[in-house]
Amino acid sequence: MTGKLQFRLLMAFTLVILVTIGAVLFFVNESTKDEIRRYGARVDQLRSLKMEAELSRFYFSNREWSGIQPLIVQWGNLYDQRIVLTDAEGTVVADSAGNLSDRYTTKSPGRTLSLPFQTGTIGILYVTPKSSSELSLESLQLLFGAIGRYFLWGGLIAVVIALIITSFLSRRILSPVKALTNAARRLGGGDFTQRVEVKDKSELGELANTFNTMADNLEHAEELRKNMVADIAHELRTPLSNIKGYLEATRDGVVSADADTIRKLDEEATLLSRLVDDLQELSLAEAGELKLVFQSGDITDIIAQTIEMMQAKAAAKGVKISTTLPGKLPTVSMDTHRISQVLRILLENAITATSPGDSIEVSAQKRAEFIEVSVTDTGEGIPVGDLPYIFERFYRVDKSRTRATGGNGLGLTIARRLVEAHGGEIKAESEPGKGSRFNFTLPFSGK
């Protein structure tokens, strides 16, 4: 690839040089033609004056034009032009072309001949000017004979310089491109540790930085994928192991198949089913295939209904849930079931993170063009190092928590996807030892 690009650079430099030399030659040739035309006009005028003087002396000496033909022919050969001499009546008396007809017709004006200090015309001299094609040929001959070789040598030197410059620039330009190509090839092969070091601050440097950012994201995504697979295997293994243990114990007669055993098996199956449902729901949300039924509604009604469902669980732990809601809020276009699910997830996490005697406050308020809902608790808070990762799959702040107390680590991830599917965003703020605040936004559909 780099070889092809290097060849293209060489061809581009060569083409620019050839086009430049060609353009210069063209304009020099045009200028030369104009100069030759002006010079030729001056020379023709001087020649004509010289010939007029010679012809006047000839006629003055001989008193007639007899014998003038050889001189006219000599001039025609010398000046490479057709020269015609007529008498005063227009009869041809000499022609360098040897065509001594009675009359000479031409559109070019002739030069009238006369004797010094005498009136009257003794003849008319016609000198045929050179054609434009002859002038062009002369200019080209002069150009390539005197100037062309310098241009040719200059062009050859320029091509050599272009080769040297191309070799230098290609190594400088293509080196980071080659590094990017090799890194991209290894990255495509699964080596996500590949990075490119380019000190160039131009577009290539920006491309290298973009590549490194992409590699960072891919490496992080691959790490999350591996962790997710390991977490799923771990989450599935525990309830399955428990179910298998109860069944083996029942089969061996260690545990009787009574109502208590069946209840425990049902709890493990319920946890397993919930994990599978959460994973399916999360995969649909991330793929953008989660079906939402949007309808205009009052967010305060959803908050009240959800809190009513969670009051029993909060009361059992000795935690109080309160609300701070304005009198009237704009209606929101939302899937009421999904937004209630988001609130349940946030409230469940808040109840888990609080101790008896702590409190949870749910509030809502109107912002610029959206409604902001907040869930604030006075619990243990979230460590600063964990805060950026709490919305990732299977992430638990307290790694020692069991599934019964800490959940499966998918709740906040699902909540984020549901909020984003509504066109909003969810954030978390926390101070260890003082509690946490989760808030999410929803665009409102009216005022």
Side-chain angles (χ1 to χ4, degrees):
M1 175 181 175
T2 54
K4 292 181 179 179
L5 186 55
Q6 188 174 13
F7 177 76
R8 290 175 185 172
L9 285 173
L10 174 60
M11 290 296 100
F13 277 112
T14 304
L15 180 61
V16 169
I17 292 170
L18 292 177
V19 170
T20 302
I21 292 176
V24 171
L25 283 174
F26 173 77
F27 288 112
V28 170
N29 179 59
E30 292 297 315
S31 177
T32 303
K33 281 197 298 184
D34 293 338
E35 190 62 32
I36 288 177
R37 189 177 292 109
R38 289 191 293 269
Y39 177 76
R42 292 194 298 268
V43 170
D44 287 344
Q45 185 178 10
L46 292 174
R47 287 174 181 173
S48 298
L49 291 174
K50 181 179 179 181
M51 286 187 288
E52 286 180 20
E54 290 291 334
L55 290 173
S56 295
R57 283 196 294 270
F58 180 91
Y59 190 85
F60 182 79
S61 300
N62 298 282
R63 294 296 174 177
E64 61 180 357
W65 292 116
S66 298
I68 196 62
Q69 176 66 19
L71 182 59
I72 297 298
V73 172
Q74 181 182 3
W75 285 347
N77 294 331
L78 177 64
Y79 301 139
D80 195 22
Q81 290 176 282
R82 185 183 179 185
I83 302 173
V84 178
L85 177 65
T86 66
D87 58 15
E89 286 74 25
T91 302
V92 176
V93 296
D95 187 350
S96 62
N99 186 13
L100 300 175
S101 58
D102 292 338
R103 307 291 296 179
Y104 176 68
T105 56
T106 179
K107 295 181 179 179
S108 301
R111 301 181 70 87
T112 302
L113 303 176
S114 61
L115 293 176
F117 309 108
Q118 294 185 16
T119 59
T121 301
I122 61 174
I124 301 175
L125 178 66
Y126 296 95
V127 180
T128 304
K130 290 186 178 181
S131 64
S132 58
S133 59
E134 291 176 323
L135 288 174
S136 298
L137 181 60
E138 287 183 2
S139 67
L140 287 175
Q141 290 174 343
L142 177 62
L143 179 64
F144 287 101
I147 306 174
R149 61 178 177 270
Y150 295 107
F151 275 99
L152 292 176
W153 279 110
L156 290 175
I157 294 173
V159 170
V160 173
I161 294 174
L163 288 173
I164 297 173
I165 294 176
T166 302
S167 177
F168 173 75
L169 289 180
S170 61
R171 284 197 301 268
R172 184 177 180 84
I173 296 174
L174 300 181
S175 177
V177 174
K178 187 176 180 180
L180 279 168
T181 302
N182 294 333
R185 187 180 294 112
R186 289 191 290 268
L187 187 69
D191 184 4
F192 297 106
T193 62
Q194 290 299 312
R195 300 294 184 274
V196 180
E197 294 184 5
V198 178
K199 298 180 180 179
D200 195 343
K201 295 183 180 180
S202 64
E203 288 79 1
L204 284 174
E206 185 177 351
L207 177 61
N209 292 332
T210 303
F211 175 85
N212 291 337
T213 301
M214 179 191 69
D216 290 338
N217 294 336
L218 287 175
E219 185 177 20
H220 182 62
E222 178 65 11
E223 184 179 355
L224 289 178
R225 185 190 67 81
K226 292 178 180 179
N227 293 338
M228 183 183 69
V229 172
D231 288 336
I232 290 175
H234 174 73
E235 293 293 336
L236 292 175
R237 186 184 297 114
T238 303
L240 286 174
S241 297
N242 291 339
I243 292 173
K244 185 178 180 181
Y246 280 120
L247 291 175
E248 289 178 352
T250 304
R251 181 190 61 193
D252 296 338
V254 177
V255 176
S256 60
D258 54 13
D260 183 60
T261 302
I262 294 175
R263 179 183 60 78
K264 292 178 180 179
L265 288 172
D266 181 66
E267 289 177 355
E268 296 295 338
T270 300
L271 289 172
L272 188 62
S273 177
R274 181 180 177 183
L275 174 61
V276 173
D277 290 342
D278 286 347
L279 286 171
Q280 182 182 21
E281 192 170 65
L282 181 59
S283 65
L284 290 174
E286 290 184 336
E289 298 179 358
L290 189 64
K291 294 182 179 179
L292 300 176
V293 181
F294 286 93
Q295 57 185 1
S296 183
D298 190 347
I299 188 65
T300 56
D301 294 339
I302 305 301
I303 293 173
Q305 295 170 7
T306 306
I307 290 177
E308 185 178 354
M309 288 188 293
M310 301 298 298
Q311 282 288 10
K313 186 174 182 178
K317 196 174 180 181
V319 176
K320 179 182 177 182
I321 302 178
S322 61
T323 60
T324 302
L325 303 174
K328 183 174 178 59
L329 287 173
T331 57
V332 177
S333 180
M334 59 183 169
D335 185 319
T336 55
H337 170 70
R338 296 299 183 183
I339 296 303
S340 177
Q341 182 180 359
V342 172
L343 280 169
R344 284 200 308 273
I345 291 171
L346 297 182
L347 287 171
E348 285 177 354
N349 284 353
I351 292 171
T352 302
T354 52
S355 302
D358 287 334
S359 62
I360 300 172
E361 180 186 24
V362 181
S363 62
Q365 56 185 325
K366 177 185 174 183
R367 295 297 186 184
E369 294 181 354
F370 52 86
I371 302 297
E372 182 183 72
V373 180
S374 301
V375 177
T376 306
D377 64 70
T378 58
E380 60 191 31
I382 302 172
V384 177
D386 293 317
L387 196 59
Y389 308 105
I390 59 174
F391 291 104
E392 293 182 0
R393 303 184 193 93
F394 297 106
Y395 192 86
R396 290 198 188 99
V397 174
D398 188 350
K399 309 299 187 296
S400 64
R401 281 181 175 169
T402 64
R403 225 170 5 278
T405 60
N408 53 35
L410 294 176
L412 288 177
T413 308
I414 294 174
R416 182 182 66 176
R417 295 300 182 187
L418 292 176
V419 170
E420 290 174 350
H422 282 75
E425 61 178 351
I426 185 170
K427 296 180 181 179
E429 302 172 3
S430 183
E431 187 175 350
K434 294 186 178 181
S436 304
R437 180 176 182 268
F438 288 81
N439 61 79
F440 63 90
T441 59
L442 295 173
F444 54 76
S445 56
K447 294 184 179 180

